[in-house]
Amino acid sequence: MRYGIAIFPSKTLQDIANSYRKRYDSHYAKIPPHLTLKESFHTTEEEIRQHVKYLRDAAANAKPFPLEVYKFSSFYPVTNTIYLKVKENEILTELQKRLNSGPFAQEAKYSFVPHITIGQNLESAECADVYSRLKLEAIHHTETADRFSLLYQLENGTWTVYETFLLGGAEND
Amino acid sequence: MRYGIAIFPSKTLQDIANSYRKRYDSHYAKIPPHLTLKESFHTTEEEIRQHVKYLRDAAANAKPFPLEVYKFSSFYPVTNTIYLKVKENEILTELQKRLNSGPFAQEAKYSFVPHITIGQNLESAECADVYSRLKLEAIHHTETADRFSLLYQLENGTWTVYETFLLGGAEND
């Protein structure tokens, strides 16, 4: 099975992201807006069950942190992706590292750039055009991220949440 | 915000359900296949945060139970809905009751019939036609349900998981 780990931001931020995604993101109908913590990987349900404690510990060892979106950005021309850039944060960086280590070690295709995708698989011309307009727009939104989700992919390409993990202390809010 | 509570079955069962849903279910792109434990309801994030402990306790007081799908059925002509019928189970019944009591009390439109919808909002003629064919087909699938999810709805009608709750003891598996 194919799994992935992501943070789903608040409804407010997801609605903002979706207002762009519905036009520009080929994955719009597959998964809600998210910040990817771990790229999709193949493993068995049995393996996941064995290592879910590692994820609980990673969550418990982190703390809720400010998730701050502060501008539009793009990976173009590496990939034709447009995203909301998320401010780097030590807790987030450390969490992402843990979720790609130990039993979840995975070769990284790219270095970690925290972001929420709003457009992908666009034609190069459209990507350049849309991004040239969006980068002139202001966006600023801060909220508290206090959880992440482990997901698996169905045969039709959509994703289902297997389990949410609350960052240390969030449970006692 | 609009919330709901559901059980997402295994990938296997979701893939089976989706093979029908893609043709017959108007909500196919809005939410993965699920067993509804609590109909959608309006409340605030603040209220949810205050009462999430009630949901954790409801989960802790339940136990993983066999989720057994054993036939196709329909609510037609009350609603033009076709579903996979889920065998009644004391743990499931009790859990559903708790999730509709206390701070989550809600007037029930219908009595609880555990099911996984595979078709809805069909024209009456199509509903009758599809159901007359499906009810001749055999289906039998049993698995263990060990969690439920609290979800909220985005502006575009899709649902995001807010938190998963493991049924008593599941965490130690």
Side-chain angles (χ1 to χ4, degrees):
Chain A
M1 271 167 76
R2 185 180 280 273
Y3 290 86
I5 300 179
I7 291 173
F8 292 110
S10 67
K11 175 178 180 296
T12 304
L13 191 46
Q14 287 189 64
D15 285 338
I16 292 170
N18 270 341
S19 70
Y20 301 99
R21 293 179 79 224
K22 70 180 167 194
R23 280 175 291 172
Y24 306 126
D25 189 344
S26 59
H27 293 183
Y28 176 59
K30 307 286 189 207
I31 186 169
H34 60 278
L35 186 164
T36 301
L37 286 176
K38 184 175 179 58
E39 293 295 335
S40 73
F41 59 104
H42 277 285
T43 189
T44 62
E45 278 182 82
E46 194 45 43
E47 281 282 321
I48 285 291
R49 282 190 178 270
Q50 272 171 29
H51 296 305
V52 77
K53 195 180 171 305
Y54 179 90
L55 301 180
R56 287 196 192 110
D57 290 345
N61 286 322
K63 274 188 313 200
F65 65 89
L67 192 161
E68 184 179 347
V69 160
Y70 66 104
K71 69 171 181 174
F72 292 93
S73 194
S74 174
F75 292 127
Y76 177 83
V78 178
T79 66
N80 289 357
T81 301
I82 301 171
Y83 59 89
L84 302 175
K85 198 165 171 68
V86 172
K87 200 160 183 176
E88 302 227 359
N89 176 290
E90 214 174 295
I91 297 170
L92 173 58
T93 306
E94 181 56 32
L95 179 61
Q96 192 271 346
K97 208 177 287 174
R98 276 183 188 246
L99 298 179
N100 290 275
S101 311
F104 292 96
Q106 188 174 7
E107 210 178 324
K109 274 188 288 188
Y110 309 108
S111 64
F112 179 53
V113 177
H115 68 280
I116 295 167
T117 295
I118 55 168
Q120 62 190 311
N121 301 323
L122 295 162
E123 297 282 338
S124 292
E126 189 182 15
C127 184
D129 177 51
V130 171
Y131 178 52
S132 70
R133 283 183 288 120
L134 287 181
K135 74 180 174 189
L136 303 177
E137 286 186 27
I139 186 158
H140 208 115
H141 173 94
T142 304
E143 62 186 47
T144 300
D146 66 356
R147 62 196 63 209
F148 63 82
S149 301
L150 172 67
L151 303 99
Y152 56 88
Q153 193 170 32
L154 302 183
E155 289 307 311
N156 67 359
T158 61
W159 292 82
T160 296
V161 168
Y162 179 72
E163 189 162 334
T164 51
F165 300 89
L166 301 184
L167 304 186
E171 197 157 334
N172 306 316
D173 270 6
Chain B
M1 270 166 76
R2 185 180 281 271
Y3 290 87
I5 300 179
I7 290 173
F8 292 110
S10 68
K11 175 177 180 296
T12 303
L13 192 45
Q14 287 189 65
D15 285 338
I16 292 170
N18 270 340
S19 71
Y20 302 99
R21 293 179 80 224
K22 70 181 168 194
R23 281 176 290 172
Y24 306 127
D25 189 344
S26 59
H27 293 184
Y28 176 59
K30 308 284 189 208
I31 187 169
H34 60 279
L35 186 164
T36 301
L37 286 176
K38 183 175 179 58
E39 294 295 334
S40 73
F41 59 104
H42 278 284
T43 189
T44 62
E45 279 183 81
E46 193 45 43
E47 282 282 321
I48 285 292
R49 282 190 179 271
Q50 271 170 29
H51 296 305
V52 77
K53 196 179 172 306
Y54 180 90
L55 300 180
R56 287 196 192 111
D57 290 346
N61 285 322
K63 274 188 312 200
F65 64 89
L67 192 160
E68 184 179 347
V69 160
Y70 66 103
K71 68 171 180 175
F72 293 92
S73 195
S74 174
F75 293 126
Y76 177 83
V78 179
T79 66
N80 289 356
T81 300
I82 300 171
Y83 59 88
L84 301 175
K85 198 165 171 67
V86 173
K87 199 160 183 176
E88 302 225 1
N89 176 290
E90 215 174 294
I91 297 171
L92 173 58
T93 307
E94 182 55 34
L95 179 60
Q96 192 271 347
K97 208 178 287 172
R98 277 184 188 246
L99 298 179
N100 290 274
S101 311
F104 293 95
Q106 187 175 8
E107 210 178 321
K109 275 187 288 186
Y110 309 107
S111 64
F112 179 53
V113 177
H115 69 280
I116 295 166
T117 295
I118 55 168
Q120 62 190 310
N121 300 323
L122 294 162
E123 298 282 338
S124 294
E126 188 183 14
C127 184
D129 178 51
V130 172
Y131 177 52
S132 70
R133 282 184 288 120
L134 287 181
K135 73 180 176 190
L136 304 176
E137 286 186 27
I139 186 157
H140 208 115
H141 173 94
T142 305
E143 62 186 47
T144 301
D146 66 355
R147 62 196 62 210
F148 63 82
S149 301
L150 172 66
L151 303 99
Y152 55 89
Q153 193 170 30
L154 302 183
E155 289 307 310
N156 68 359
T158 62
W159 292 83
T160 296
V161 168
Y162 179 72
E163 189 161 333
T164 51
F165 300 89
L166 300 184
L167 304 186
E171 196 156 334
N172 306 315
D173 269 6

